[in-house]
Amino acid sequence: MNSIFKHILVIESSSDTNNFVLQRAVDVAKQNHVKITVFRSFYKEVHDKKFDSGLPDDLSLFVLQQQLLICEKFNRLTDEDLDLDIIISWQAPAVTSIAAIINANKISLVMRLFHKENHLLDLFTLSVERYLTRHCELPVWLVKNNAQLPEYKILACLDIDDDTETNKALNHTILDASEQLIPLKSAELHILDCYYGESASIAINYDADSGFREGVSVKRQHMKTINKYVAAHANINGTVHLNESMPDDDIPQTADELHVGLTIIGNCKHDHFFNRMLGDSSQFLTDKISSDILVIKPDRENMMLAM
């Protein structure tokens, strides 16, 4: 099975003192033999007068020191000969630099420590979080859960109600990602689908040959569809949770109840001003879910086919 994670971009943060993000990247890279690029921005420290950075006038030596520090952290996490690249940036804002790296390289996964942003400021400025969850077309892994869990569990959240081709492809990609990540820690997979309940109207199905037929409930319809999704993935064997509830409420609650290490969600929203004002499910969930979050985006080719 070919890995869908072939080149990982790790966005370093000064607040990640325990190297949780780099550790996650190393775990994925060791399993799938992929390249890691570590990015660290010092743009604010160099250009923002609010920061008393204490940086030297000659930044070439400083950049070399930062690269050596990252190499040392990397070598402490693994002794395997993994492909590592390090980029230290200070000339352009972080979002601009990250976008340039993604455009210039075949990055397939972005990893970053989760930072809760001020959503009011997001109306006027493009934060790294906003760029990653809404503008960036790549899967984004936001690291939150720093606890050592006795059993590692993955919660894959599917949207069965949306039967567009784009969303069907997105559901398959979520299961592809789950399939790739299960072997990392012998993870236990849980598949969650939230549905809106039965219709209030009454339908009587009658066939001239067989007479009256029992109607199919929403829950049974969703279960049948999920079974088709799972059947298309040879290495998927998980516990299915069908909950009559709203996803914004149920996904964080289910993730907490199961004590999952990683929650995988999809996001096919566009960054219109209306969405920025009211928010969307993915933005809400990244704030509310306590586990790590992997946000999967629709594949560009599948989106073009669906248009």
Side-chain angles (χ1 to χ4, degrees), residues 39-48 55-64 66-67 87-94 97 101:
F39 167 80
R40 180 70 186 273
S41 174
F42 288 93
Y43 178 82
K44 286 185 177 180
E45 288 84 344
V46 173
H47 297 276
D48 196 329
L55 297 178
D57 293 333
D58 183 6
L59 290 178
S60 59
L61 179 60
F62 173 78
V63 168
L64 179 59
Q66 293 300 315
Q67 290 174 327
I87 299 175
I88 306 297
S89 172
W90 72 91
Q91 295 173 315
S97 298
I101 293 170

Side-chain angles (χ1 to χ4, degrees), residues 168-193:
K168 289 177 183 178
L170 186 60
N171 284 336
H172 278 296
T173 306
I174 289 172
L175 292 177
D176 283 338
S178 303
E179 204 169 4
Q180 295 285 310
L181 296 171
I182 285 172
L184 290 183
K185 297 186 178 182
S186 300
E188 179 182 302
L189 178 64
H190 293 260
I191 300 170
L192 175 64
D193 171 49

Side-chain angles (χ1 to χ4, degrees), residues 45-156:
E45 288 84 344
V46 173
H47 297 276
D48 196 329
K49 295 181 179 179
K50 292 185 297 183
F51 288 87
D52 183 15
S53 63
L55 297 178
D57 293 333
D58 183 6
L59 290 178
S60 59
L61 179 60
F62 173 78
V63 168
L64 179 59
Q65 291 172 339
Q66 293 300 315
Q67 290 174 327
L68 290 174
L69 286 173
I70 293 172
C71 280
E72 289 174 3
K73 289 191 290 186
F74 186 82
N75 291 331
R76 285 197 297 268
L77 294 174
T78 181
D79 56 2
E80 293 193 21
D81 186 22
L82 298 176
D83 192 357
L84 175 67
D85 189 20
I86 300 171
I87 299 175
I88 306 297
S89 172
W90 72 91
Q91 295 173 315
V95 169
T96 304
S97 298
I98 293 168
I101 293 170
I102 290 173
N103 290 333
N105 299 273
K106 294 183 178 179
I107 305 293
S108 54
L109 172 65
V110 182
M111 286 185 165
R112 173 178 163 85
L113 192 70
F114 173 78
H115 294 274
K116 187 173 178 63
E117 295 289 330
N118 185 324
H119 295 307
L120 183 60
L121 292 178
D122 278 347
L123 294 174
F124 310 103
T125 61
L126 182 60
S127 66
V128 173
E129 261 63 36
R130 170 66 60 173
Y131 168 74
L132 292 178
T133 56
R134 300 303 300 275
H135 291 267
C136 177
E137 297 177 347
L138 300 176
V140 175
W141 187 321
L142 300 173
V143 174
K144 275 188 168 187
N145 186 7
N146 301 330
Q148 294 296 322
L149 301 174
E151 293 179 324
Y152 196 82
K153 300 175 184 178
I154 295 174
L155 180 63

Side-chain angles (χ1 to χ4, degrees), residues 243-254:
N243 296 343
E244 185 179 345
S245 59
M246 298 294 290
D248 287 2
D249 298 324
D250 198 69
I251 292 176
Q253 181 179 333
T254 302

Side-chain angles (χ1 to χ4, degrees), residues 72 95 144 216 239 241 266 269 278:
E72 289 174 3
V95 169
K144 275 188 168 187
V216 180
T239 302
H241 305 264
K269 301 294 183 184
L278 300 181

Side-chain angles (χ1 to χ4, degrees), residues 195-221:
Y195 65 96
Y196 297 109
E198 307 299 332
S199 173
S201 63
I202 298 176
I204 300 175
N205 299 315
Y206 181 81
D207 184 88
D209 296 324
S210 57
F212 291 103
R213 293 179 299 167
E214 180 183 358
V216 180
S217 68
V218 173
K219 186 173 183 178
R220 287 176 61 187
Q221 289 175 334

